[in-house]
Every structure is written in C-alpha cells, then in structure tokens.
Amino acid sequence: MVHIEHIQYVNAPLSRVYEVLTTARGLAEVWTQDLTFTAQLDAVNEFRFGDEHPTWMTIVELVPNAKMTWQCIDSDPEWIGTSVSFELEQRGGKTAVTLKHTDWREVTEFYRFCNYNWAIFLLSLKQYCEEGAGIHYQTRTF
C-alpha cells in the first residue's frame, strides 16, 4: 500500500482548526462548497467537485480537538477503500495539522495529482484560518 502524508503549521488555535475541519461551513471554505457534512461517527458525508463522480466518506474516528478519520466508500475507484485522517497538535501558538491519505493500491498519475491537491487543501486551510479566505474548489483554476 502507498500513502500520502503532509504537515502544515497554522497560526491559529487548535480549537479553531478543528472547528474548520469538522463543520460544513469550514470545509466549504477550504475544500468544496458543494457538500453535505455532519461531524458524527458513522456519518456518511458527500463532497462534490463539478461534473466528477461524488465522493462519499464515512467518519470512522472523531476525537475532539485531536483527530478525524474518514473512510472512502464511493468516489473515483482509486479512492474507494482509502482513508483520510487529520491529526492536530498544538505547538506553541501554532497548530500542526498532519494529513494522511492511506491505503492507495499503487502510485499512479491520479495518486500524484491527489498528492498535490492535498497540499493545496492544507494551504487553503492555513489561509482560511489565518486570513479568512480559503482556496476552495469552486475558485481554483486547474
């Protein structure tokens, strides 16, 4: 199995970063505005990106102000069965956010594209938490 891992340091309290990652409003500002999201264990959440097949994620781990893990149940075939986690740690006045997208079957062109886009997701999270404006899908140019 292959994994994607990134870390980003956000100049914001951990509770603020956790709130952004665990609310529909926050995820709409940093990832996609076309979503249905509830932060509850076993909740099935839907994320839409234009004309692409929707992505459906089940929340399998939710530790307040520390970690959230999603299991992909439907999406691009390469994503199905993978997990995405967000781990948060307060480091002085900053919050360290470790994003992991695990259990890819192999390194492919799509894997590389997603690896890049997860880095953009973390940049968007940082900008939203620090400056009030993220880089969600609907404002990006590809």
Side-chain angles (χ1 to χ4, degrees):
M1 292 289 176
V2 183
H3 310 297
I4 294 170
E5 292 191 29
H6 293 282
I7 192 164
Q8 178 65 279
Y9 301 96
V10 181
N11 293 310
L14 188 147
S15 60
R16 170 68 177 142
V17 177
Y18 182 80
E19 175 188 355
V20 171
L21 290 171
T22 59
T23 62
R25 181 177 181 199
L27 288 169
E29 294 300 322
V30 300
W31 202 22
T32 180
Q33 293 195 326
D34 194 3
L35 75 155
T36 304
F37 183 84
T38 303
Q40 287 182 298
L41 277 178
D42 301 320
V44 177
N45 295 295
E46 181 181 8
F47 304 94
R48 293 173 295 282
F49 303 90
D51 294 334
E52 297 175 21
H53 185 75
T55 295
W56 294 83
M57 300 280 200
T58 301
I59 297 179
V60 296
E61 186 175 19
L62 190 62
V63 181
N65 293 315
K67 186 175 184 180
M68 176 172 59
T69 304
W70 302 336
Q71 178 79 36
C72 183
I73 58 173
D74 194 15
S75 185
D76 182 280
E78 290 188 46
W79 273 38
I80 297 171
T82 65
S83 296
V84 177
S85 66
F86 306 90
E87 299 172 21
L88 307 178
E89 183 181 336
Q90 192 71 51
R91 295 193 185 165
K94 297 181 180 185
T95 301
V97 181
T98 302
L99 181 150
K100 298 177 183 177
H101 190 165
T102 60
D103 302 322
W104 287 76
R105 290 177 284 288
E106 61 184 322
V107 174
T108 63
E109 184 175 335
F110 186 60
Y111 166 92
R112 290 180 177 105
F113 179 73
C114 292
N115 192 349
Y116 167 82
N117 281 285
W118 280 126
I120 298 299
F121 173 94
L122 288 175
L123 175 63
S124 179
L125 175 66
K126 178 179 178 65
Q127 288 183 350
Y128 181 67
C129 290
E130 294 178 2
E131 302 169 18
I135 315 165
H136 57 79
Y137 173 82
Q138 287 74 17
T139 61
R140 290 182 58 193
T141 55
F142 289 87

